[in-house]
Amino acid sequence: MIGQPRQGMNQLSPRSDQGHAASDPAVNTPVILTSPASPTAPALVLRPWHAEDVAALVEVYRDPELRRWTNARVESEDDGLGWVRAQEQGWEAGDRFAFAVFETALDAAPPRLVGNVVIKEVASGKPSAEVGYWTAARARGRGVASRALKTLTTWSFDAFRADGLECLDLLHQVDNLASCRVAEKNGYQFDRILPSVPPSYPLDGHLHILRATA
């Protein structure tokens, strides 16, 4: 399930993985996050979406399983560019931070787009925000979503806790069992059933919550 972003506060200054804040609070520091390689999986690189990602995005969205779980419709390069521009606007507004997830190749091939993670509805003084994710068909079943969500979760609390962030919400449709497993694996505890809201959300949903640790 994907919620609608709200207008946020430009004074939020997300930090990079090195922990440096933007000197101009109205301009967000470029952020690149990484999940290191393991003996069984290559490293992941998370970075903001760019226009150069449109072709790969359109290819990924040809997957009917992905379209089943998302509200976005990306069927052409124009659709893809519009979607990417919306993510860029979220960064500029300071209320929605979406990361393209790339898997590094073991050979010299370019990194492959394997997913998306996002924190949204961020606002200064607001105690909660929402996270979401999707995984490309070619990368499912290999722990990509769990690793990317873990990286996003750590960064989100580090970047926004000083602005009042206390917990992260994760929503998914009740029949999305894979998403439920990803949430639980990352410590997002089931909180309650959310009623359906047709036509966007035809079935009930699960709300999972992860609270910041001391």
Side-chain angles (χ1 to χ4, degrees):
M1 299 178 70
I2 299 177
Q4 295 299 317
R6 300 177 184 174
Q7 292 301 314
M9 304 292 286
N10 282 340
Q11 63 263 37
L12 290 175
S13 300
R15 291 172 284 178
S16 70
D17 48 348
Q18 288 80 27
H20 299 299
S23 57
D24 181 351
V27 178
N28 294 320
T29 303
V31 176
I32 298 177
L33 309 175
T34 59
S35 175
S38 73
T40 58
L44 300 178
V45 176
L46 287 64
R47 63 151 174 81
W49 288 87
H50 303 317
E52 65 196 45
D53 304 321
V54 167
L57 177 68
V58 173
E59 179 185 355
V60 165
Y61 258 87
R62 293 195 178 107
D63 172 35
E65 187 71 9
L66 175 59
R67 295 199 300 270
R68 176 186 175 191
W69 303 120
T70 65
N71 287 333
R73 289 294 174 263
V74 181
E75 299 177 354
S76 67
E77 289 207 356
D78 285 344
D79 292 341
L81 183 59
W83 189 89
V84 168
R85 294 303 187 212
Q87 312 318 307
E88 293 174 337
Q89 290 167 8
W91 279 87
E92 292 169 2
D95 61 1
R96 180 185 179 102
F97 304 93
F99 292 85
V101 181
F102 290 88
E103 188 175 67
T104 59
L106 297 178
D107 52 22
R112 298 192 309 166
L113 176 65
V114 291
N116 171 69
V117 288
V118 60
I119 175 173
K120 53 193 175 182
E121 300 185 9
V122 178
S124 184
K126 184 172 178 283
S128 66
E130 183 184 340
V131 297
Y133 47 85
W134 52 253
T135 307
R138 60 178 170 237
R140 291 191 192 123
R142 296 195 283 108
V144 168
S146 292
R147 294 169 63 206
L149 177 61
K150 180 179 180 180
T151 302
L152 176 73
T153 298
T154 300
W155 175 79
S156 296
F157 282 126
D158 180 61
F160 301 115
R161 193 166 181 183
D163 293 289
L165 183 65
E166 298 175 1
C167 65
L168 294 171
D169 297 340
L170 190 158
L171 290 71
H172 67 81
Q173 200 162 277
V174 291
D175 56 343
N176 192 341
L177 302 182
S179 189
C180 198
R181 288 192 294 269
V182 169
E184 292 173 342
K185 186 174 182 178
N186 278 275
Y188 285 76
Q189 300 297 314
F190 173 75
D191 184 75
R192 64 182 183 275
I193 295 286
L194 300 175
S196 62
V197 186
S200 297
Y201 308 115
L203 299 180
D204 291 347
H206 282 183
L207 170 63
H208 297 257
I209 296 177
L210 178 67
R211 301 188 186 282
T213 57

